[in-house]
Amino acid sequence: MSTASKPGRRKSPRSAIPGFGINLGFTLTYLSLIVLIPLAGVFIKSAGLGWDGIWHVVSSPRVLAALQLSFGAALIAALINAVFGPLVAWVFVRYQFPGKRFFDAVIDLPFALPTAVAGIALTSLYSPNGWIGQFLEPLGIKVAFTPIGVIIAMTFIGLPFVVRTVQPVLEEAEKELEEAAATLGANRWQTISQVILPTVFPALLTGFALAFARAVGEYGSIIFIAGNLPMVSEIAPLLIIIKLEEFDYAGATAIAATMLTISFVLLLLINSLQAWSRNRGGRK
Amino acid sequence: MSNPATDYSLQDPPKIPFEPLIERNSSISEPTWVRWSLIFVAILFLALFLLLPLISVFTEALRNGLGPYFAAIVEPDALSSIKLTLIAAAIAVPLNLALGVSAAWCITKFEFRGKSLLISLIDLPFSVSPVVAGLIYVLIFGRQGYLGPWVMDHDIKILFAVPGIVLATIFVTFPFIARELIPLMQEQGTDSEQAALSLGANGWQTFWHVTLPNIKWGLLYGVLLCNARAMGEFGAVSVVSGHIRGETNTMPLQIEILYNEYSFSAAFAVASLLAGLALVTLGVKSFLEWRYGDELAAGRKH
């Protein structure tokens, strides 16, 4: 890790500080009992189904459509946030304007607002007679009870992940580099795209990955606005619940294992992409 | 902050606020019209996507006036859902607080192999869908689950009862406090603990009088976020609760039931309580950032 090589932080491997054993023991026990062993249960259970069993569940048209919607809409929502997130972060880091502190607090709203509350609020806004829906209805745009509604809900919950990862990096970015670029004849756009963007790019990727992962698994804020029509606006987590309610534990487990695997692989991929881009950018 | 032994080494040098003259230099800033249009777009985006839903919660809740609003809140099923939500958070948050401090202590005060793996594992619940978090406990304690028969034989109720709800809540809010503390304590290093120990303090005294005063705001911050999520968790709790009215419904589940019964204003009335909690959380959080920004700053860096 980069932190270990930072100067000014000396840590002797044989620390004089007590409490290592008991705290590590407690942490590992708690972690295993609450997280690791129960999660392993999903994979053990799905291993019991075998590849054929899992494939049989996942390849059914309804499950495929749900997985496609969950991952596709999450990708679009994360992309929207990857555009507006840095823009918001930039405005808050570089500019002064009235109400800044207030709006800065508002950015964290999706972290603090329970998903079910967000879900019913978004639905009432975008339903055909809602505050926003009534303007979209004459244009022929239907948001509530369609995949667009799913994307809107996913954008809502993902925004702070992108803003809050990009913002600190922008704050730390050295203005001297921009001055140097300007001195060397770069115009403002060149400076932004070739000096600032590469600096924030690893953070942007991290934020994108976090927003994407959260959106794929999101349930509460989506199910109200989605309308949950099978094959159209039914997300994968909802399908897990439906299977559970039908006591089809095998089906639920197969979908869950598939979602977990795809998410882990994607996160791993993005993590290595991020490490690569950080090295390439010459940062620590 | 009263202990002078802790003060000198931990604080960053005071930051002197200054506006460099170069700020006005057009070569590294944007024309005024670009500036204001960017601000406009950002604020419009935030207002449309974040602020409007919040406002609509309160508007819808009060649509029929104050009388029906309070009637919806003191309704017995709503009250019992509020009680259950408070119980679940009152168990889950202290447990995760203990874990967070303990994990951050190992990770930041010692060097050991597998440390970054441990950090990733602590973060794991963030990348697991809440629904899957509920499912894993169904697979263990359910009728056909690994421990299902044993639990039934001993007449212990976990699924569709309070213990299951608490377990799911603990899983989902697991990383919040640890995540907040690890970067903060990493930044602070071990020098002051070493000093306290060499002066004869024992481990517990060192933690209580040296470490805790340095991390208290970060700790409070983590507890706030953890609590907000614990009270608002929906997906995971929905899977394990069984939706028994007046018994295993938390506030978010009560909102869902009311909404699906088309009692919209009652649903929004209960929702407004949770939205109020979110506002208080954000308010205290902004206050902490404004007042103790420097002490929290380490946590913001990645």
Side-chain angles (χ1 to χ4, degrees):
Chain A
M1 301 276 325
S2 64
T3 46
S5 61
K6 244 185 190 170
R9 183 172 316 117
R10 292 156 285 109
K11 241 182 279 182
S12 71
R14 282 178 303 281
S15 179
I17 297 173
F20 179 66
I22 186 167
N23 279 306
L24 190 66
F26 173 67
T27 304
L28 289 180
T29 312
Y30 193 112
L31 184 70
S32 308
L33 284 180
I34 297 286
V35 179
L36 299 183
I37 296 172
L39 264 185
V42 173
F43 289 101
I44 295 170
K45 180 100 182 168
S46 53
L49 298 173
W51 287 115
D52 291 341
I54 295 177
W55 182 245
H56 178 72
V57 174
V58 173
S59 63
S60 79
R62 188 171 171 192
V63 176
L64 267 186
L67 285 171
Q68 210 177 350
L69 175 65
S70 274
F71 283 92
L75 184 70
I76 296 173
L79 284 174
I80 294 175
N81 282 328
V83 172
F84 284 97
L87 188 144
V88 169
W90 174 264
V91 165
F92 277 86
V93 171
R94 291 299 173 95
Y95 303 153
Q96 293 300 328
F97 53 91
K100 184 170 162 177
R101 191 179 291 283
F102 170 75
F103 278 101
D104 191 56
V106 166
I107 294 173
D108 283 326
L109 190 67
F111 284 156
L113 194 69
T115 53
V117 178
I120 60 172
L122 288 172
T123 314
S124 80
L125 282 179
Y126 288 96
S127 66
N129 52 6
W131 289 350
I132 299 179
Q134 61 180 330
F135 297 109
L136 299 176
E137 180 82 352
L139 303 172
I141 305 172
K142 274 193 161 52
V143 176
F145 318 128
T146 68
I148 302 178
V150 177
I151 295 172
I152 299 253
M154 287 176 168
T155 311
F156 172 86
I157 51 151
L159 180 71
F161 288 96
V162 180
V163 178
R164 292 304 186 218
T165 40
V166 171
Q167 203 172 12
V169 179
L170 262 185
E171 261 159 20
E172 304 241 309
E174 291 164 36
K175 279 202 169 154
E176 285 79 359
L177 285 178
E178 293 168 46
E179 285 163 30
T183 325
L184 293 169
N187 65 32
R188 192 59 191 151
W189 176 244
Q190 287 170 321
T191 311
I192 288 177
S193 63
Q194 296 183 18
V195 177
I196 299 174
L197 196 61
T199 323
V200 301
F201 192 67
L204 183 57
L205 264 182
T206 309
F208 175 84
L210 290 172
F212 178 78
R214 175 71 203 270
V216 167
E218 179 56 21
Y219 174 70
S221 55
I222 300 174
I223 52 157
F224 296 100
I225 198 170
N228 310 325
L229 300 167
M231 308 292 297
V232 178
S233 58
E234 190 176 60
I235 54 169
L238 177 68
L239 211 49
I240 295 180
I241 289 195
I242 291 175
K243 298 258 180 209
L244 274 180
E245 280 168 358
E246 295 166 349
F247 298 103
D248 179 6
Y249 286 17
T253 313
I255 303 174
T258 311
M259 282 181 66
L260 281 175
T261 311
I262 300 179
S263 298
F264 289 159
V265 168
L266 280 175
L267 281 181
L268 207 68
L269 204 73
I270 290 173
N271 267 339
S272 38
L273 200 66
Q274 196 196 344
W276 171 78
S277 113
R278 198 184 288 140
N279 290 336
R280 195 167 149 270
R283 285 162 54 83
K284 283 176 286 184
Chain B
M1 286 296 92
S2 56
N3 189 346
T6 66
D7 276 348
Y8 67 98
S9 63
L10 292 166
Q11 308 293 320
D12 287 332
K15 288 201 179 77
I16 303 157
F18 73 102
E19 285 293 318
L21 286 172
I22 210 79
E23 192 77 61
R24 302 266 163 267
N25 185 338
S26 66
S27 63
I28 69 151
S29 66
E30 298 72 33
T32 314
W33 70 269
V34 175
R35 208 174 260 247
W36 283 104
S37 6
L38 286 178
I39 292 174
F40 177 75
V41 172
I43 295 301
L44 187 71
F45 187 79
L46 291 179
L48 269 183
F49 269 84
L50 304 184
L51 206 52
L52 214 51
L54 180 69
I55 297 169
S56 83
V57 171
F58 292 102
T59 322
E60 296 283 340
L62 294 169
R63 174 157 293 196
N64 298 333
L66 277 174
Y69 175 79
F70 286 115
I73 287 172
V74 297
E75 196 263 338
D77 285 351
L79 277 183
S80 94
S81 77
I82 294 172
K83 201 174 130 205
L84 183 56
T85 296
L86 292 175
I87 292 173
I91 301 173
V93 175
L95 282 175
N96 284 337
L97 174 65
L99 170 97
V101 173
S102 184
W105 184 265
C106 310
I107 287 170
T108 59
K109 305 297 178 194
F110 303 93
E111 288 299 334
F112 57 95
R113 288 180 66 184
K115 189 196 264 192
S116 54
L117 178 67
L118 181 61
I119 298 178
S120 310
L121 288 178
I122 289 175
D123 276 349
L124 199 58
F126 274 149
S127 45
V128 172
S129 169
V131 171
V132 176
L135 170 76
I136 61 180
Y137 293 111
V138 174
L139 290 182
I140 293 176
F141 297 113
R143 206 176 284 265
Q144 313 160 15
Y146 299 105
L147 294 179
W150 186 84
V151 167
M152 291 244 274
D153 288 346
H154 291 75
D155 205 26
I156 307 170
K157 274 182 119 38
I158 293 184
L159 228 49
F160 313 135
V162 178
I165 294 173
V166 171
L167 268 179
T169 308
I170 293 176
F171 181 97
V172 173
T173 56
F174 185 86
F176 278 90
I177 296 170
R179 258 224 99 124
E180 201 55 50
L181 289 182
I182 290 169
L184 185 64
M185 285 166 69
Q186 213 147 36
E187 193 81 358
Q188 292 173 345
T190 58
D191 293 349
S192 31
E193 282 82 8
Q194 310 264 24
L197 288 163
S198 70
L199 292 171
N202 65 31
W204 181 248
Q205 287 170 326
T206 308
F207 173 74
W208 195 253
H209 295 290
V210 177
T211 312
L212 194 61
N214 285 326
I215 59 169
K216 58 177 186 266
W217 300 119
L219 200 65
L220 180 58
Y221 196 96
V223 167
L224 271 175
L225 292 179
C226 183
N227 181 58
R229 184 70 198 269
M231 292 195 171
E233 179 47 33
F234 177 65
V237 171
S238 165
V239 175
V240 294
S241 102
H243 304 271
I244 307 166
R245 271 186 167 229
E247 278 182 46
T248 62
N249 267 350
T250 60
M251 290 167 80
L253 298 177
Q254 183 69 15
I255 294 172
E256 183 195 22
I257 288 187
L258 290 170
Y259 193 86
N260 287 341
E261 284 174 348
Y262 301 102
S263 347
F264 294 133
S265 52
F268 277 104
V270 179
S272 73
L273 295 180
L274 286 174
L277 171 77
L279 283 181
V280 171
T281 305
L282 289 184
V284 178
K285 184 174 167 296
S286 301
F287 174 76
L288 287 180
E289 274 170 355
W290 167 69
R291 180 68 184 76
Y292 303 102
D294 288 346
E295 288 171 54
L296 289 165
R300 302 279 79 71
K301 289 173 198 155
H302 287 261

